[in-house]
Each structure stands twice: as C-alpha cells, then as structure tokens.
Amino acid sequence: KKSHLSIAPNTHSFNTLIFALSKSETKELLERAMSLLDHMEYLSSNSTGNVLPNVLSYNFLIDGWSKIGETQNAFSLLKRMIKLQENGQIESSPNVISFSTVIHSFAAKGHALK
C-alpha cells in the first residue's frame, strides 16, 4: 500500500535555507536568500498559512549583509521590518539584535545612522 505524504514548506524550512545562504558571506548567495524572503512574503500575503517571515528571517539577512559590508541593504531590511510592524505584522518586529547589527555595521564603516 502506497502512502502519500503531503509535505509543504513552512517558516522553519525557509529560515533554515536563509540562514545557510546568509552565512556564506557572498553577495550572490545573499541575493538568493533575499529572493527566498521575498517569496515568503508573497506566500504569506496569499494566506497560505504555513509560511510567515519572522524576526529570524530578517535578522539572518541583516547579519549577512552587514558582514560583507553591504550596510545599506542591512538598513533597508531594518526599515522594511519597521514598516511591517507598523502594519500589524508583529512576528516581523525588529528586536535588539536587528538594531544593534545595523548600528554596528554603520559604525564599522565610520558612518552615523541617518
């Protein structure tokens, strides 16, 4: 007797991939991780239920961009998180790690936060 399993991606599986790609510290793989985040947002906006970006989804990418010196990309993600929070998506609210990673990234480049 054959068993049919229905396996669908969820937030955890997407975050695992984003985490791995973000640790690569290469722009190409970080861009792929960004595509996964964009796809998560698309899936969550179409109410699939199993996929909802959370603070980890964004923080993994903020950290990755910061580590390769792409401070503006990290800052853009932080601003995106703030906007999502303002629109009621509490699971995407930035935390102390989100802010401190971006601040550290700007400080490492000798810039003040604007």
Side-chain angles (χ1 to χ4, degrees):
K1 196 174 188 180
K2 239 182 183 181
S3 171
H4 295 285
L5 296 176
S6 177
I7 300 173
N10 59 25
T11 299
H12 183 74
S13 59
F14 271 93
N15 280 350
T16 301
L17 290 170
I18 289 171
F19 174 78
L21 292 168
S22 295
K23 290 297 176 189
S24 71
E25 297 185 19
T26 65
K27 189 171 184 173
E28 179 185 353
L29 293 179
L30 279 160
E31 287 170 349
R32 286 187 185 182
M34 284 295 297
S35 293
L36 286 173
L37 179 64
D38 292 339
H39 191 63
M40 286 178 81
E41 290 177 341
Y42 169 78
L43 291 173
S44 70
S45 70
N46 289 317
S47 64
T48 59
N50 289 341
V51 179
L52 186 63
N54 60 25
V55 66
L56 293 175
S57 313
Y58 296 93
N59 281 353
F60 293 150
L61 279 159
I62 287 172
D63 183 60
W65 287 122
S66 295
K67 284 186 175 167
I68 66 166
E70 295 281 344
T71 303
Q72 285 302 322
N73 287 338
F75 189 42
S76 292
L77 279 169
L78 178 62
K79 291 189 291 187
R80 192 162 153 181
M81 292 173 79
I82 292 167
K83 188 171 194 151
L84 289 167
Q85 178 186 16
E86 289 170 352
N87 291 331
Q89 290 186 330
I90 302 304
E91 51 286 319
S92 299
S93 297
N95 61 15
V96 67
I97 295 168
S98 315
F99 285 101
S100 63
T101 303
V102 171
I103 291 168
H104 182 266
S105 184
F106 273 106
K109 289 192 126 197
H111 298 279
L113 251 168
K114 296 178 183 176

